């Protein structure tokens, strides 16, 4: 079939730019899911997020409001903070944020203020989702920055992580 010496899947991480957008989205969402699972092990709602620039992860975050006693310590905020520190700029122009759950209004606002170019999320949030489920801040015409949104990447896996966590939590009470 191909004269190439190896498959794309066998190439090192540095060659991610050669993969299709769907493949990249899948791979990065799997990494966000790992962060969500770590958050669950810490007793936090299992949400994970990563910020990617030019194919490299520059920020990671898991949900941590309980442990940090900080209501703003959502996975997205933690990943954005780390990315901004990594590049030395509060503007994350040209970056993509991957998160396992549709962002809330607070996180959607932070994404826009950081000027993140693209948001990719897994599971929709019918209770607090601010990127299409309840409201859509990303398409609000009155706002001066509009982030491109891709939804539903590994939605089943992301949703399962959340439902398993809450099911186990209900059994404990």
């Amino acid at each position: 079939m191909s004269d190439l010496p190896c498959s794309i899947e066998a190439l090192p991480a540095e060659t991610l730019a050669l993969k299709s957008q769907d493949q990249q989205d899948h791979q990065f969402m799997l990494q966000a899911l790992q962060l969500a699972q770590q958050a669950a092990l810490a007793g936090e709602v299992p949400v994970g997020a990563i910020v990617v620039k030019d194919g490299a992860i520059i920020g990671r975050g898991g949900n941590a409001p309980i442990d940090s006693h900080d209501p703003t310590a959502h996975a997205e905020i933690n990943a954005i903070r780390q990315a901004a520190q990594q590049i030395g700029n509060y503007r994350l122009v040209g970056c993509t944020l991957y998160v396992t759950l549709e962002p809330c209004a607070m996180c959607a606002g932070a994404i826009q203020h950081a000027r993140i170019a693209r948001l990719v999320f897994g599971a929709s949030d019918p209770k607090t989702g601010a990127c299409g489920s309840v409201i859509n801040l990303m398409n609000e015409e009155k706002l001066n920055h509009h982030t491109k949104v891709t939804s539903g990447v590994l939605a089943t896996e992301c949703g399962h992580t959340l439902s398993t966590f809450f099911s186990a939590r209900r059994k404990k009470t």
Side-chain angles (χ1 to χ4, degrees):
M1 291 192 334
S2 171
D3 295 331
L4 296 175
C6 63
S7 70
I8 282 184
E9 285 70 37
L11 295 173
E14 293 82 28
T15 62
L16 271 177
L18 299 177
K19 291 187 176 184
S20 75
Q21 188 65 66
D22 287 345
Q23 290 172 313
Q24 286 183 48
D25 289 350
H26 182 91
Q27 183 169 359
F28 286 128
M29 189 61 73
L30 285 173
Q31 293 188 46
L33 264 169
Q34 290 176 346
L35 294 169
Q37 291 164 354
Q38 290 172 13
L41 290 174
E44 302 280 355
V45 173
V47 179
I50 61 171
V51 177
V52 175
K53 183 169 180 66
D54 300 326
I57 297 172
I58 61 169
R60 291 177 168 82
N63 247 13
I66 297 167
D67 186 51
S68 65
H69 308 289
D70 178 359
T72 69
H74 289 193
E76 301 94 311
I77 301 294
N78 292 332
I80 288 169
R81 286 177 177 155
Q82 189 179 82
Q85 290 296 310
Q86 177 71 25
I87 67 168
N89 194 333
Y90 73 106
R91 298 280 197 217
L92 300 175
V93 176
C95 292
T96 299
L97 175 73
Y98 292 85
V99 61
T100 57
L101 180 66
E102 179 181 0
C104 69
M106 174 185 69
C107 293
I111 290 164
Q112 290 173 317
H113 283 291
R115 301 296 192 261
I116 290 174
R118 185 167 174 254
L119 165 68
V120 179
F121 69 84
S124 295
D125 186 346
K127 294 183 180 179
T128 63
C131 301
S133 291
V134 176
I135 58 173
N136 194 341
L137 293 177
M138 297 304 173
N139 288 340
E140 176 53 53
E141 291 180 17
K142 294 177 185 174
L143 298 176
N144 65 338
H145 178 74
H146 299 97
T147 299
K148 278 183 58 178
V149 178
T150 301
S151 61
V153 174
L154 296 179
T156 301
E157 294 85 344
C158 294
H160 179 73
T161 300
L162 287 156
S163 61
T164 300
F165 174 82
F166 285 114
S167 176
R169 183 184 259 184
R170 283 189 295 275
K171 286 179 184 176
K172 287 182 181 179
T173 58

